[in-house]
Amino acid sequence: MSSSVIRRRGVIVLAATCVALLPLRPLSPQRPDARRIAAFDRALDSLRSRLRIPGLSAAIAYDDVVIWSRGYGFADVEHQVAATAHTPYNVASLSKPIGTVLLLRLVEQGKVNLDDPMSKYSTDYHADSIHVRHVLTHTSGGVPGEHFEYNGDVFASLFDVIVKASGRRYRELVANDIMRPLGMTDSSPGNDIADNQPAMVQLLGADADARYVEAMRNLAKAYKYDSSRRAVPSRETVFGLSPANGIVSSVLDFAKFDSALDRGRLLEPATQKMMWTPARTAAGERLPYALGWFVQDYAGLHLIWHNGYLPDRYSALYLKIPDRKLTLLLLANSDALSSPFKLAKGDLSPSAFACAFLVDVVVVEDTCRSRSEAAIRGWATRERGLTTIVRPLLGTESDSRIDLRRAPSRNQRRGNTERNQQRRGAAEREGVERTDVEQQRDEQPASEYGSHETDHRTQPNHPRCLADDELVDVAWRRTERDPHTDIPRLLPNGDRHDSIKSDRR
């Protein structure tokens, strides 16, 4: 054998050895191709039509960049205003991840400890057994930390923690620490931004306030279903802002929040990891909720998600799949993104919208389709059988389902209105300069806080304590355009399923 051959063989052997010694690098998640996204596009439009959603906006982000977005149907049916990826909606409980980020930044600054008692910050709590962590993970009921029961109304009390620890207005925190630096130009820190323009300009600045007012002008009109399953306009009945509810945004703006999270602009890596780590009981049982987010393992993937549900008005879905560097954002101007699927139990697989994304875009085994189909059929049956149109209690519009056994009487409504007029008069006299926690709470959605005169956490059978994982049978609805009415004290939270049946374990 010639030396040249030997040298060539030596090179070959050496190269093979070097290759074998190289560390294996994990394959980067593949960007979804146009064919997969087109299949999802068709599935979305079909589901929107089937569930009679007037307007729907969608966006998909890959590796922190929006790779696809579009709108379906109409943001305003009467005026034929098309829904687009820039259309603002009330995002309902997608407000919770934003509120959680603001709270955890205070933890990073040493101003809050998650094991602090809620009584340190809020007069709604009279004992030290319920901690900030319990409220943040929906485990404050029963023996704190031992039982998960989703309750947006209780979550809203984190408002007191954030305001007291930061010394700032909650609305100002959302505007100046989240929306302004992220360039969320189609968003608003609350849907009541135009109610008191001088105060809002003083708090947020004229330029910012003008942008928020413009976003509210473009807000998708909310719709509900009448007895013939037709979409008809639905009056908004919840006004204000809290960590649980009230953010107005578009899918493209929320994608900016999502990108900032993934790029470490909002939280330290250790804090973000903690935020997405599921809560556990003392016995080590894993719960379906982390800090302000649902977390779930499905088909070998780790899902981080939240949904939003304002009955008869708006719904939303925010799904992150870190293993694939993918995010899905959906916003709708009816409740049908959430209402058929009982998502408050912490299982996303019944959602037909999430299922379509997982199967068509992420390409996992189709084990969810049969469950989502059953959920839609059950929802349609219940809606046909239980929706009753009643005469309006006030004005020319009313929400469609009212439990006549529990609806407030005329005298109750008159008393509520008189008390609210007194409250508003006092607030107007004090003006925007009053910055204490109680004044700020008065500006929040009534259905998130209800009355501060009653500690509902001590009343297990109170309607606002009922589990929110049942669809509506018959329910009462607020019909007044009064942001401070006491009537929601009798109502479950406006961002939850408003069931009058308990499914407590």
Side-chain angles (χ1 to χ4, degrees):
M1 185 178 293
S2 68
S3 60
S4 62
V5 173
I6 293 173
R7 284 195 298 273
R8 285 198 298 273
R9 286 186 177 178
V11 170
I12 293 171
V13 171
L14 180 60
T17 302
C18 291
V19 170
L21 292 176
L22 287 174
L24 294 176
R25 297 179 62 187
L27 294 176
S28 178
Q30 189 175 21
R31 172 176 171 151
D33 60 32
R35 177 182 55 83
R36 285 153 57 185
I37 291 179
F40 178 63
D41 182 16
R42 292 190 297 270
L44 267 189
D45 204 18
S46 175
L47 284 169
R48 182 193 70 84
S49 177
R50 185 177 177 190
L51 295 174
R52 305 191 181 208
I53 298 175
L56 172 69
S57 297
I60 297 174
Y62 171 75
D63 201 13
D64 303 331
V65 176
V66 174
I67 60 172
W68 173 85
S69 64
R70 68 162 292 185
Y72 305 81
F74 294 100
D76 184 334
V77 175
E78 292 74 22
H79 296 93
Q80 297 288 284
V81 178
T84 73
H86 289 280
T87 298
Y89 299 77
N90 189 327
V91 304
S93 275
L94 299 200
S95 303
K96 290 181 175 67
I98 289 179
T100 298
V101 165
L102 291 172
L103 177 56
L104 291 180
R105 294 177 85 164
L106 296 172
V107 172
E108 290 181 339
Q109 297 164 20
K111 296 180 179 180
V112 174
N113 188 307
L114 293 182
D115 294 317
D116 284 341
M118 285 295 295
S119 57
K120 177 179 177 180
Y121 304 99
S122 174
T123 58
D124 282 347
Y125 294 82
H126 307 299
D128 293 342
S129 58
I130 297 178
H131 299 166
V132 174
R133 184 188 308 274
H134 299 144
V135 176
L136 199 53
T137 56
H138 297 282
T139 59
S140 62
V143 178
E146 292 299 300
H147 171 70
F148 168 78
E149 185 175 348
Y150 184 89
N151 190 321
D153 187 51
V154 174
F155 193 97
S157 62
L158 293 171
F159 175 92
D160 297 354
V161 180
I162 295 170
V163 168
K164 187 170 184 178
S166 68
R168 296 167 63 187
R169 303 289 293 268
Y170 185 73
R171 193 187 307 270
E172 186 263 325
L173 280 166
V174 172
N176 291 334
D177 289 16
I178 302 293
M179 291 183 174
R180 186 192 297 268
L182 300 186
M184 298 173 67
T185 54
D186 296 323
S187 302
S188 174
N191 60 355
D192 58 346
I193 205 76
D195 289 353
N196 188 348
Q197 282 296 102
M200 294 300 176
V201 168
Q202 182 177 348
L203 179 65
L204 305 174
D207 292 343
D209 180 70
R211 288 196 302 272
Y212 302 141
V213 170
E214 181 64 20
M216 289 305 302
R217 288 196 188 101
N218 298 326
L219 178 70
K221 182 178 290 188
Y223 292 88
K224 61 186 178 184
Y225 303 110
D226 65 14
S227 58
S228 300
R229 303 299 301 140
R230 294 175 303 177
V232 295
S234 179
R235 173 182 294 176
E236 181 60 275
T237 60
V238 179
F239 298 91
L241 179 66
S242 84
N245 195 357
I247 296 288
V248 170
S249 193
S250 67
V251 291
L252 291 182
D253 266 11
F254 233 86
K256 296 174 184 177
F257 171 77
D258 179 73
S259 176
L261 268 182
D262 288 346
R263 295 182 180 184
R265 292 182 58 187
L266 297 176
L267 295 172
E268 297 293 332
T271 306
Q272 186 161 300
K273 181 179 179 180
M274 176 179 67
M275 178 174 69
W276 290 333
T277 299
R280 292 185 179 272
T281 66
E285 176 192 357
R286 174 173 166 164
L287 299 176
Y289 209 79
L291 302 178
W293 300 74
F294 287 100
V295 286
Q296 178 180 359
D297 293 329
Y298 178 80
L301 298 172
H302 188 56
L303 310 183
I304 300 168
W305 61 277
H306 218 293
N307 72 305
Y309 179 28
L310 284 173
D312 289 343
R313 297 191 291 282
Y314 297 98
S315 52
L317 179 62
Y318 180 9
L319 169 60
K320 295 179 63 62
I321 309 179
D323 302 338
R324 302 292 180 88
K325 297 186 177 181
L326 284 170
T327 293
L328 170 68
L329 287 159
L330 299 175
L331 298 174
N333 59 352
S334 81
D335 64 19
L337 279 178
S338 292
S339 56
F341 307 117
K342 300 187 179 181
L343 300 180
K345 288 181 179 292
D347 182 7
L348 186 60
S349 62
S351 167
F353 297 91
C355 181
F357 182 69
L358 290 167
V359 172
D360 294 334
V361 178
V362 186
V363 192
V364 302
E365 184 180 356
D366 185 357
T367 60
C368 54
R369 194 98 61 182
S370 60
R371 293 192 65 193
S372 63
E373 284 295 313
I376 291 174
R377 289 194 299 269
W379 168 80
T381 300
R382 282 188 290 268
E383 289 288 303
R384 282 195 299 269
L386 295 171
T387 299
T388 302
I389 302 300
V390 298
R391 290 181 60 190
L393 293 177
L394 291 172
T396 59
E397 290 183 301
S398 72
D399 288 301
S400 60
R401 290 187 288 268
I402 297 182
D403 180 357
L404 300 180
R405 297 169 298 172
R406 304 295 295 273
S409 68
R410 181 179 302 175
N411 288 336
Q412 286 176 312
R413 294 195 301 275
R414 182 182 299 115
N416 292 332
T417 301
E418 292 171 354
R419 286 194 298 274
N420 294 326
Q421 289 172 344
Q422 294 171 0
R423 287 183 182 179
R424 289 196 303 274
E428 290 168 359
R429 287 191 296 273
E430 293 177 271
V432 75
E433 293 301 322
R434 184 182 173 197
T435 60
D436 59 278
V437 170
E438 294 296 324
Q439 167 66 10
Q440 294 193 51
R441 287 196 331 188
D442 286 344
E443 299 176 356
Q444 305 316 304
S447 70
E448 292 290 350
Y449 266 106
S451 169
H452 304 298
E453 301 167 2
T454 302
D455 186 359
H456 65 273
R457 298 166 190 82
T458 65
Q459 303 177 38
N461 295 323
H462 193 284
R464 294 169 74 234
C465 293
L466 298 181
D468 59 330
D469 49 16
E470 292 287 330
L471 286 172
V472 175
D473 265 357
V474 286
W476 56 102
R477 282 282 192 270
R478 171 185 171 195
T479 58
E480 296 178 275
R481 292 186 64 89
D482 182 350
H484 303 296
T485 181
D486 289 335
I487 292 176
R489 180 173 61 179
L490 303 175
L491 296 174
N493 177 11
D495 191 29
R496 305 183 315 175
H497 295 285
D498 50 348
S499 173
I500 60 171
K501 298 192 300 184
S502 176
D503 189 31
R504 303 177 72 87
R505 290 168 283 176

